[in-house]
Amino acid sequence: MVSVDVWNAFVDFPIFDAKTRSLKKQVLGKVGGKIATEARVPIIEALHDISVSLKDGDRVGLVGHNGAGKSTLLRLLSGIYEPTRGSSRVVGRVAPVFDLGIGMDPEISGMENIIIRGLFLGMTRKQMESRLDDIAEFTELGDYLQMPLRTYSTGMRVRLALGVVTSIDPEILILDEGIGAVDAAFLEKARSRLVDLVRRSGILVFASHSDEFLFELCNSGIWMDEGKIRQQGSLREVLTGYKGKDPFEGMSQETIDRISGGAPELARVSGEL
């Protein structure tokens, strides 16, 4: 049975070459957390006393301002980062999707990149070869799939990466929203595949700024602030605390009805609006 457990975990980054205050601030803005000023070597406390327990079926939406520690937490939950203090345990095959372009080579063809990107995400060559036709059809890239990736536009690269990501079978899916360089029609097409991908996964942790997308994919939430968990619980409660207002406010009934299939909690409360 898949699971992710983190107990009282801290993640610290020593900054050995931080000679100026401005450099410290620049680093802090990228990883979140606080600077421990009493240390001889500046320490970025990126995560502070984190405890999380996830089991099969959990769908967690991760929210917080830029620099709040979301990306660091995703890497901790995926096993990429080890706690400086505290402990963590990950049981299951993790598919970390932080940057759609990671694992892709600009000098080889789109088809070859499909295989390589799939291997990077934990699939076998045989599994990826069996998915080639489906991915090719989804991307709508045609003959470009035989051309080097360096000839692709940004939107074409995103299409290819989305095709691969949405074809895998993850046990633990760690997803950092990185979509936006494609046209609206294709994004809607990708959205339905992402929903299906989440249904196939055992555990999902999804960092996003889109309330609608979070409700479509998740059933609980974590609010990160300055490297700490500020609030954890139902997605509606967490978003209300984070944004200072009910996230359903301003949503049309049509939107609520459309996304309630992916969020039973939303379906139950939609009649209250």
Side-chain angles (χ1 to χ4, degrees), residues 11-13 15 24-34 43-47 66-73 81 226-227:
V11 174
D12 301 332
F13 296 110
I15 309 300
K24 296 176 193 176
K25 287 183 177 179
Q26 183 179 2
V27 173
L28 179 61
K30 291 184 180 297
V31 301
K34 294 182 178 180
I43 301 293
I44 301 295
E45 296 177 341
L47 294 180
N66 292 336
K70 301 190 301 298
S71 295
T72 306
L73 178 58
Y81 288 166
E226 295 187 339

Side-chain angles (χ1 to χ4, degrees), residues 95 97 168 170-175 197-198 201 203-206:
V97 184
I168 64 176
E171 293 181 334
I172 301 170
L173 178 62
I174 309 292
L175 183 61
L197 171 67
V198 169
S201 64
I203 292 173
L204 167 72
V205 183
F206 177 39

Side-chain angles (χ1 to χ4, degrees), residues 16 37 83 89 96 169 178 186 189 197 215 221 229-230 243:
F16 295 104
T37 55
R89 181 182 64 191
D169 296 317
F186 189 84
K189 181 180 177 180
L197 171 67
F215 275 117
I229 293 179
R230 180 80 172 269
K243 298 200 169 183

Side-chain angles (χ1 to χ4, degrees), residues 91-212:
V91 179
R93 187 178 68 254
V94 180
V97 184
F98 305 133
D99 183 336
L100 290 174
I102 290 179
M104 302 182 78
D105 186 338
E107 298 303 322
I108 63 177
S109 72
M111 279 295 191
E112 292 171 307
N113 268 293
I114 289 174
I115 301 294
I116 289 178
R117 176 66 166 155
L119 295 174
F120 177 83
L121 291 170
M123 303 292 283
T124 66
R125 176 175 289 274
K126 185 176 181 180
Q127 286 173 324
M128 293 312 300
E129 288 175 346
S130 70
R131 290 162 167 77
L132 282 174
D133 290 343
D134 173 67
I135 295 171
E137 181 181 356
F138 168 74
T139 63
E140 302 174 354
L141 291 174
D143 292 340
Y144 273 99
L145 288 171
Q146 308 304 327
M147 299 176 65
L149 192 69
R150 57 180 164 77
T151 66
Y152 288 24
S153 67
T154 300
M156 292 166 67
R157 292 187 184 209
V158 172
R159 286 186 178 216
L160 185 67
L162 278 174
V164 177
V165 165
T166 55
S167 74
I168 64 176
D169 296 317
E171 293 181 334
I172 301 170
L173 178 62
I174 309 292
L175 183 61
D176 197 356
E177 186 178 55
I179 305 166
V182 293
D183 59 86
F186 189 84
L187 183 56
E188 191 59 34
K189 181 180 177 180
R191 192 186 192 108
S192 64
R193 281 177 66 106
L194 280 169
V195 171
D196 186 58
L197 171 67
V198 169
R199 289 183 180 136
R200 297 198 308 271
S201 64
I203 292 173
L204 167 72
V205 183
F206 177 39
S208 175
H209 294 288
S210 168
D211 292 357
E212 184 178 333

